[in-house]
């Protein structure tokens, strides 16, 4: 008997699952708050140079020709903001050291606090690079720990780290400590915050998928993304009301405190308990689920489930599951590498596009709200079509059209009047469409990968993919900072190119819609791969050695005979 077959007898989406899933969704609102806080606390307001009173001769704004002659690697606006010109000196271009920042949208930001503009912009970029590096470390570490010690305790530890790191980020920047010490503590706080945020996001998403049945996986995989976008709107409301970076950080740190108690009420995954052989603990949870769902718990059926799980372990090869199991199978190697690449591209695209939403409109709050609303619309559309069209086709469609739309930027910039009203409107529409497609494919890849990897190593494999994906987020951030200096739309074209490459590799993976979650790596191997890779001659999706895939007893007997156990 499969787990999903037994789970159906106690209602896979009853009162118990709905209550616990709602709590998991609430935890999923927290990662975007911590990620996008940087958009407001370290926003760069409009600024201009303020020459020192003892050197007023360097008080002329350099012309376009002067900027091209002396600072050709910089855009005209950056050159005119960061440098001043003098006709009375042998050094005509001088770097500005004092700046006046606009108060139109922010009362104070870390950029103003630490003067992270012009030649000090790298200080701001470094914080984001460290943050995404923390994402990478947290994805692997918390993913492995979650598969080893369970989903529930790791989520509890993650929230403790988030709370401590949030207060560190709020209180560490202090002029009494000096810039170097303050900056070091702040970077450390952002690193820890990123690590723990991945612990919450990955573990929460996996629990949400594992406590429901196959028919509800799409619902749980998409609805949790609504709460992700909802977290962005909560951040937007707080940032709009609190315009100083320190008070906003303190408010968000206080907001994390109630989540410390979620450990007491969140469930452990019964799938994980069974995969690890904790049959008594799993039985207690399953009995509780049956009781709250007002269903009968059949002890004989559960015993058959346990016997089946034990047979699977005996009949399968005696190797470690999780990360090391990937290297024991060609199918798992291909799926693991492919999914890691897909996550890399989706993070490159999603964070690259999302960090540019502030350029859509002059008002950063309206622009951020527009980006969040576009995400919600994308999740809603995905919810409608993902079961109907399948994971693979929908994902490939979103990624392919992203690449095509991204390339439209080139003719728009070449053949339309530069900065004309028509071009501005068309570019706004292009940016909205790109955000929509990036959000949709980003949501699908979580669901798709979660259904491809087996329970015994799901969090570890998801963690590895997420770790690789952080390189994509880092490159996306650097692309916006560096490639945009050559041409402001160069990053979009780069994102489109990588998306088209990703589509070609995505065709290798099998479809997972409406299929049981694989419990072991052998389950994944039985499904195999699709074109252009050849599938194993001994197995297809519907039958194995001539026997139906659902005929578990026949399959187990065949495997036991093969291994000389019976």
């Amino acid at each position: 008997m499969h787990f999903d077959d037994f789970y159906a007898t106690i209602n896979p989406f009853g009162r118990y699952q709905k209550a616990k899933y709602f709590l998991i969704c609430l935890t999923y609102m927290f990662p975007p708050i911590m990620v996008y806080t940087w958009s407001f606390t370290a926003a760069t307001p409009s600024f201009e140079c303020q020459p020192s009173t003892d050197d007023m001769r360097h008080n002329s704004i350099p012309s376009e020709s002067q900027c091209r002659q002396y600072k050709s690697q910089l855009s005209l606006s950056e050159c005119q903001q960061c440098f001043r010109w003098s006709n009375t000196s042998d050094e005509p271009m001088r770097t500005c050291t004092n700046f006046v920042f606009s108060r139109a949208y922010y009362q104070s930001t870390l950029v103003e606090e630490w003067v992270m503009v012009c030649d000090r912009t790298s200080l701001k970029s470094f914080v984001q690079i460290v943050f995404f590096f923390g994402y990478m470390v947290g994805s692997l570490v918390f993913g492995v720990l979650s598969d080893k010690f369970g989903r529930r305790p790791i989520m509890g530890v993650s929230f403790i780290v988030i709370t401590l790191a949030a207060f560190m980020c709020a209180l560490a920047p202090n002029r009494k400590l000096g810039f170097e010490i303050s900056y070091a503590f702040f970077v450390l706080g952002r690193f820890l915050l990123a690590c723990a945020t991945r612990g919450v996001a990955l573990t929460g998403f996996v629990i949400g998928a594992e406590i429901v049945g196959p028919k509800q996986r799409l619902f749980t995989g998409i609805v949790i993304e609504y709460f992700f976008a909802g977290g962005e709107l909560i951040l937007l409301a707080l940032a709009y009301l609190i315009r100083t970076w320190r008070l906003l950080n303190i408010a968000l740190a206080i907001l994390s405190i109630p989540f410390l108690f979620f450990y007491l009420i969140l469930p452990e995954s019964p799938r994980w308990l069974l995969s690890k052989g904790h049959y008594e603990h799993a039985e207690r949870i399953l009995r509780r689920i049956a009781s709250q769902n007002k269903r009968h718990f059949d002890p004989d059926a559960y015993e058959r489930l346990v016997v089946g799980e034990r047979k699977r372990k005996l009949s399968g090869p005696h190797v470690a599951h999780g990360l090391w199991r990937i290297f024991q199978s060609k199918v798992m190697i291909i799926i693991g590498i492919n999914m890691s690449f897909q996550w890399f591209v989706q993070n490159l695209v999603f964070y690259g596009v999302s960090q540019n939403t502030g350029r859509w409109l002059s008002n950063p709050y309206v622009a951020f709200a527009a980006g969040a609303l576009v995400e919600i619309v994308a999740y809603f559309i995905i919810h409608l079509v993902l079961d109907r069209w399948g994971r693979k086709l929908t994902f490939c469609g979103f990624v392919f059209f992203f690449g095509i739309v991204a390339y439209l930027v080139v003719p728009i910039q070449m053949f339309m009047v530069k900065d004309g009203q028509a071009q501005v409107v068309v570019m706004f529409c292009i940016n909205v469409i790109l955000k929509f497609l990036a959000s949709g494919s980003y949501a699908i890849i979580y669901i798709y990968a979660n259904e491809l990897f087996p329970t015994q190593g799901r969090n570890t494999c998801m963690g590895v993919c997420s770790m690789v994906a952080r390189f994509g987020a880092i490159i996306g951030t650097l692309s916006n900072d560096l490639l945009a200096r050559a041409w402001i739309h160069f990053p979009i074209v780069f994102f489109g190119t990588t998306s088209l490459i990703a589509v070609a590799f995505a065709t290798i993976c099998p479809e997972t819609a409406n299929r049981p979650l694989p419990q072991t790596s052998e389950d994944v191997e039985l499904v195999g791969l699709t074109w252009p890779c050849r599938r194993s001659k001994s197995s297809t999706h519907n039958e194995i050695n001539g026997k139906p895939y659902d005929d578990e007893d026949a399959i187990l007997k065949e495997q036991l005979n093969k291994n000389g156990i019976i």
Side-chain angles (χ1 to χ4, degrees):
M1 173 177 283
H2 286 287
F3 178 86
D4 286 325
D5 297 329
F6 174 82
Y7 208 44
T9 65
I10 60 175
N11 193 349
F13 199 51
R15 178 181 177 183
Y16 176 91
Q17 290 92 342
K18 291 176 182 177
K20 300 302 182 183
Y21 177 69
F22 176 72
L23 294 175
I24 292 170
C25 286
L26 291 181
T27 68
Y28 214 71
M29 299 175 72
F30 214 70
I33 291 177
M34 291 304 172
V35 172
Y36 293 115
T37 300
W38 187 250
S39 300
F40 298 102
T41 58
T44 303
S46 299
F47 65 93
E48 60 182 23
C49 178
Q50 185 183 38
S52 58
T53 55
D54 59 344
D55 194 14
M56 291 301 294
R57 66 183 184 276
H58 286 89
N59 196 26
S60 298
I61 298 176
S63 64
E64 181 176 357
S65 61
Q66 292 165 342
C67 285
R68 292 187 183 279
Q69 179 182 358
Y70 292 100
K71 300 292 178 182
S72 58
Q73 74 278 13
L74 301 180
S75 65
L76 176 62
S77 60
E78 184 176 357
C79 172
Q80 292 178 337
Q81 283 180 311
C82 301
F83 294 90
R84 282 297 178 263
W85 175 269
S86 173
N87 292 323
T88 62
S89 173
D90 295 335
E91 185 187 3
M93 194 82 77
R94 176 171 292 188
T95 303
C96 189
T97 56
N98 298 309
F99 301 91
V100 177
F101 292 89
S102 171
R103 294 286 185 266
Y105 300 111
Y106 309 102
Q107 291 300 311
S108 69
T109 71
L110 271 171
V111 168
E112 179 180 355
E113 179 87 6
W114 287 335
V115 197
M116 296 188 295
V117 295
C118 298
D119 59 337
R120 290 170 61 89
T121 304
S122 58
L123 294 172
K124 179 181 175 181
S125 299
F126 180 73
V127 175
Q128 278 298 80
I129 291 174
V130 171
F131 181 84
F132 284 119
F133 181 73
Y135 250 39
M136 179 178 63
V137 173
S139 298
L140 179 60
V141 171
F142 284 103
V144 172
L145 292 178
S146 177
D147 277 336
K148 184 175 182 179
F149 298 108
R151 295 21 175 158
R152 181 170 173 253
I154 297 307
M155 180 173 281
V157 171
S158 297
F159 273 117
I160 293 175
V161 176
I162 282 177
T163 302
L164 295 176
F167 276 105
M168 182 183 296
C169 290
L171 302 176
N174 193 313
R175 294 183 179 180
K176 294 182 179 179
L177 296 176
F179 168 74
E180 291 79 6
I181 297 177
S182 296
Y183 185 77
F185 272 106
F186 183 83
V187 170
L188 176 61
R190 289 289 291 176
F191 173 80
L192 295 175
L193 196 62
C195 290
T197 296
R198 293 314 298 162
V200 171
L202 278 176
T203 305
F205 191 91
V206 169
I207 291 178
E210 290 183 345
I211 65 171
V212 300
K215 294 183 179 179
Q216 292 79 34
R217 287 205 306 268
L218 171 62
F219 175 85
T220 58
I222 292 298
V223 170
I224 200 170
E225 299 292 351
Y226 292 143
F227 282 81
F228 185 94
E232 295 179 40
L233 295 177
I234 290 175
L235 170 64
L236 175 65
L238 291 173
Y240 184 79
L241 295 173
I242 306 174
R243 303 294 182 95
T244 60
W245 69 267
R246 191 183 297 275
L247 288 180
L248 179 59
N249 269 338
I250 291 175
L252 296 177
I254 294 173
L255 183 64
S256 68
I257 294 177
F259 288 92
L260 295 174
F261 301 97
F262 271 49
Y263 173 80
L264 303 176
I265 52 181
L266 285 177
E268 184 54 89
S269 167
R271 291 179 188 270
W272 177 84
L273 291 170
L274 280 171
S275 71
K276 291 297 183 180
H278 303 307
Y279 303 121
E280 293 183 0
H281 190 178
E283 181 178 358
R284 289 196 298 271
I285 293 180
L286 292 170
R287 284 183 179 275
R288 189 181 309 129
I289 294 174
S291 176
Q292 293 192 20
N293 290 348
K294 298 183 179 180
R295 292 291 185 89
H296 172 66
F297 180 88
D298 188 345
D300 294 332
Y302 180 73
E303 184 62 28
R304 291 196 297 273
L305 173 63
V306 171
V307 170
E309 288 294 323
R310 286 173 174 164
K311 285 182 179 179
R312 284 171 179 269
K313 292 184 177 181
L314 288 173
S315 61
H318 299 281
V319 295
H321 286 274
L323 179 62
W324 300 114
R325 181 64 185 94
I326 292 177
F327 298 102
Q328 306 297 321
S329 162
K330 176 184 176 181
V331 173
M332 288 297 296
I333 290 174
I334 294 174
I335 290 178
I337 294 176
N338 198 353
M339 280 295 104
S340 295
F341 177 69
Q342 298 299 331
W343 278 54
F344 170 86
V345 173
Q346 291 312 306
N347 276 258
L348 169 72
V349 170
F350 179 78
Y351 285 106
V353 171
S354 297
Q355 290 175 14
N356 270 334
T357 55
R359 299 178 182 177
W360 293 5
L361 301 168
S362 59
N363 189 315
Y365 299 100
V366 176
F368 190 87
L373 293 176
V374 169
E375 280 191 43
I376 294 175
V377 173
Y379 301 148
F380 179 74
I381 299 298
I382 290 296
H383 196 173
L384 293 179
V385 304
L386 203 54
D387 262 348
R388 187 173 303 174
W389 295 352
R391 283 33 165 175
K392 181 177 176 179
L393 178 62
T394 310
F395 175 74
C396 290
F398 269 72
V399 178
F400 176 76
F401 282 112
F402 180 94
I404 298 300
V405 173
Y407 274 108
L408 293 179
V409 171
V410 177
I412 289 172
Q413 295 298 317
M414 289 178 62
F415 301 113
M416 298 187 72
V417 178
K418 184 175 177 60
D419 296 329
Q421 184 176 1
Q423 188 188 67
V424 171
V425 171
V426 172
M427 283 303 302
F428 176 78
C429 294
I430 290 292
N431 283 322
V432 168
I433 294 173
L434 291 176
K435 174 69 172 179
F436 170 82
L437 294 172
S439 300
S441 58
Y442 187 78
I444 297 171
I445 197 61
Y446 265 82
I447 299 171
Y448 198 14
N450 195 59
E451 294 176 348
L452 280 171
F453 294 126
T455 299
Q456 290 177 323
R458 182 169 295 119
N459 245 27
T460 299
C461 294
M462 292 279 282
V464 171
C465 288
S466 187
M467 179 191 70
V468 175
R470 295 319 124 196
F471 287 107
I474 291 172
I475 294 175
T477 301
L478 293 176
S479 297
N480 288 329
D481 291 340
L482 301 179
L483 294 182
R485 285 190 164 189
W487 182 42
I488 192 170
H489 300 294
F490 195 0
I492 294 179
V493 176
F494 173 60
F495 301 152
T497 303
T498 56
S499 294
L500 293 177
I501 295 173
V503 170
F505 288 101
T507 59
I508 296 174
C509 293
E511 180 57 70
T512 61
N514 298 317
R515 295 179 182 177
L517 281 176
Q519 284 288 96
T520 66
S521 299
E522 287 70 33
D523 293 340
V524 178
E525 294 173 21
L526 293 177
V527 176
L529 301 169
T530 57
W531 184 91
C533 292
R534 295 181 60 187
R535 186 175 298 184
S536 172
K537 294 181 180 180
S538 62
S539 65
T540 66
H541 169 61
N542 293 320
E543 60 180 12
I544 302 163
N545 295 329
K547 301 177 180 62
Y549 178 75
D550 291 334
D551 190 354
E552 181 184 351
D553 291 337
I555 295 171
L556 288 174
K557 186 175 181 180
E558 183 81 21
Q559 292 172 334
L560 292 171
N561 274 319
K562 183 178 180 180
N563 288 277
I565 297 176
I566 61 173

